[in-house]
Amino acid sequence: MDVLSLYSGSGRTSAQQSTDLLYWFRVSGWDIDDALDRAQSHFEAEFEARLS
């Protein structure tokens, strides 16, 4: 199951969803800083691709 699909149409704010995801990362053994760095890298790559 895709974790993000759990939040579609949930009526929760972005801050609540972000907090929940960061909590899920932590309890799943992920390093939160690594997860945020990875998300930033994906965002920047997609942004740069759209500018091209």
Side-chain angles (χ1 to χ4, degrees), residues 11-29:
R12 297 173 54 83
T13 66
S14 295
Q16 290 170 322
Q17 291 176 3
S18 297
T19 301
D20 289 348
L21 287 172
L22 291 175
Y23 172 79
W24 182 85
F25 287 152
R26 188 170 53 91
V27 299
S28 297

Side-chain angles (χ1 to χ4, degrees), residues 3-52:
V3 174
L4 296 178
S5 68
L6 297 174
Y7 290 99
S8 60
S10 67
R12 297 173 54 83
T13 66
S14 295
Q16 290 170 322
Q17 291 176 3
S18 297
T19 301
D20 289 348
L21 287 172
L22 291 175
Y23 172 79
W24 182 85
F25 287 152
R26 188 170 53 91
V27 299
S28 297
W30 290 31
D31 180 65
I32 292 173
D33 288 330
D34 287 343
L36 293 173
D37 288 344
R38 192 171 177 191
Q40 182 68 30
S41 295
H42 284 278
F43 172 80
E44 290 172 354
E46 184 175 325
F47 181 74
E48 289 176 13
R50 289 182 184 196
L51 290 179
S52 302

